[in-house]
Amino acid sequence: MELALILVVIVVALGFDYTNGFHDAANAIATSVSTRALSPRSALVMAAVMNLAGAFLGTAVASTVGKGIIAAPEGTAGLVVVLAALIGAIAWNLITWWFGMPSSSSHALIGGLVGAALASAGTVQWGGVVEKVVIPMVVSPVVGFVLAGLVMIGLLWLFKDARPNRVTRGFRHAQTVSAAAMALGHGLQDAQKTMGVIVLALVVGGYHEGFDVPWWVILISAGALSAGTAAGGWRIMRTLGRRIIDLDPPRGFAAEATASAVLYTTAFAFAAPISTTQTITSSILGVGATKRLTAVRWNVAGNIVVAWVLTLPMAALMAALSYWVLHLFLV
């Protein structure tokens, strides 16, 4: 029974990873596609390959997700908690994707873990949630907004005397690099969250000791994320690339370069599972504000912020409901 349930959890975790890929594909490529630096098909292929590569860069974030958010009970009860968390996260991902809202798959997963743990009367490690999730959730968008604005101001000053057409062409080429860096950072951050959940399932099921990530878990998580990315996320891409602000190549480059730097820093220095969605969106807002405040469609930005705020509690609620249903049949 437990082995079968572990296999189900792994399959559902890969399903979440796939939805993460097509839900968050826009994070890496929306700006490059909207500025015509890359064609949509080329951008998706590049993002899928770089997501795959990014998944192999580290496992610190996976350890945070696996052992730093909840303390799941052993055996079937713990596996049901993990399964319910994944179902809740997938449900919220699909709802926000349908409405074209770039919510955070990362926070959906973490909200799902917390909601399922609370529904099972289990232990939530609130210190880890606050330190590794809530604080980065608040700080990273602020850093992305401010830093992207400063980078854009610096670029405007550096190229103030250059010919606009030449600058635009140059930054279209530069965006190929910045978009690749963004996709690599997305793979580094988001594939690890699925790795952490799969390892957690193996630990509570008694098939793994410690929270080191086996190579095969890295491989299947990377593959599912990459496949989802290749499937594309056109609804969210339109929101990020066109509805917030009409981006030009220099601003697209500044947003992607800033967001990438934030993703790498939080993953390697703090092992914090931050939201790639929040990071790139706030960076887009930051570069847009340097054009003029009215250039940003703040009503769209406000709707995105509402989705950010709702993600943790709504994913937690859906996971809790899933747990209560699953508990009737499996525990």
Side-chain angles (χ1 to χ4, degrees), residues 90-237:
I90 291 172
W92 184 247
N93 266 359
L94 293 176
I95 289 171
T96 51
W97 167 79
W98 179 256
F99 289 102
M101 298 307 297
S103 67
S104 169
S105 297
S106 306
H107 293 156
L109 179 59
I110 291 166
L113 287 169
V114 171
L118 292 175
S120 67
T123 302
V124 177
Q125 300 185 38
W126 292 110
V129 172
V130 171
E131 179 184 353
K132 297 292 187 179
V133 180
V134 176
I135 292 176
M137 180 177 71
V138 174
V139 173
S140 59
V142 175
V143 171
F145 181 88
V146 173
L147 187 58
L150 292 175
V151 169
M152 192 63 226
I153 291 171
L155 291 177
L156 290 171
W157 182 80
L158 284 173
F159 295 97
K160 63 182 184 298
D161 298 323
R163 297 171 65 178
N165 290 340
R166 181 174 295 178
V167 170
T168 298
R169 286 196 302 271
F171 276 104
R172 277 207 176 99
H173 293 302
Q175 268 200 278
T176 304
V177 178
S178 62
M182 183 67 202
L184 192 71
H186 180 255
L188 170 66
Q189 274 278 349
D190 282 44
Q192 287 195 54
K193 292 150 193 170
T194 301
M195 296 177 205
V197 172
I198 292 176
V199 171
L200 176 62
L202 294 173
V203 169
V204 299
Y207 284 84
H208 189 68
E209 293 184 1
F211 285 88
D212 293 332
V213 183
W215 67 268
W216 63 269
V217 173
I218 298 174
L219 185 63
I220 61 175
S221 299
L225 182 68
S226 183
T229 301
W234 303 110
R235 292 174 183 268
I236 295 171
M237 196 181 302

Side-chain angles (χ1 to χ4, degrees), residues 3 20 28 41 59-60 64 81 86 92 97 114 177 182 194 197 209 219 246-247 250 254 282 292 308 312 317 319:
L3 179 58
N20 188 342
R41 186 175 298 276
T59 58
T64 296
V81 169
L86 289 165
W92 184 247
W97 167 79
V114 171
V177 178
M182 183 67 202
T194 301
V197 172
E209 293 184 1
L219 185 63
D246 295 320
L247 286 169
S282 61
R292 62 181 186 278
W308 291 355
L312 279 170
L317 176 61

Side-chain angles (χ1 to χ4, degrees), residues 7 42 50 162 203 226 293 300 316:
L7 294 175
S42 297
M50 298 308 287
V203 169
S226 183
L293 289 178
V300 177

Side-chain angles (χ1 to χ4, degrees), residues 10-64:
I10 291 174
V11 170
V12 176
L14 295 178
F16 165 78
D17 211 16
Y18 184 85
T19 67
N20 188 342
F22 74 70
H23 190 280
D24 289 3
N27 295 346
I29 63 176
T31 55
S32 298
V33 172
S34 67
T35 61
R36 296 181 176 84
L38 293 169
S39 69
R41 186 175 298 276
S42 297
L44 278 174
V45 172
M46 179 274 296
V49 172
M50 298 308 287
N51 269 317
L52 184 66
F56 289 90
L57 294 182
T59 58
V61 173
S63 295
T64 296

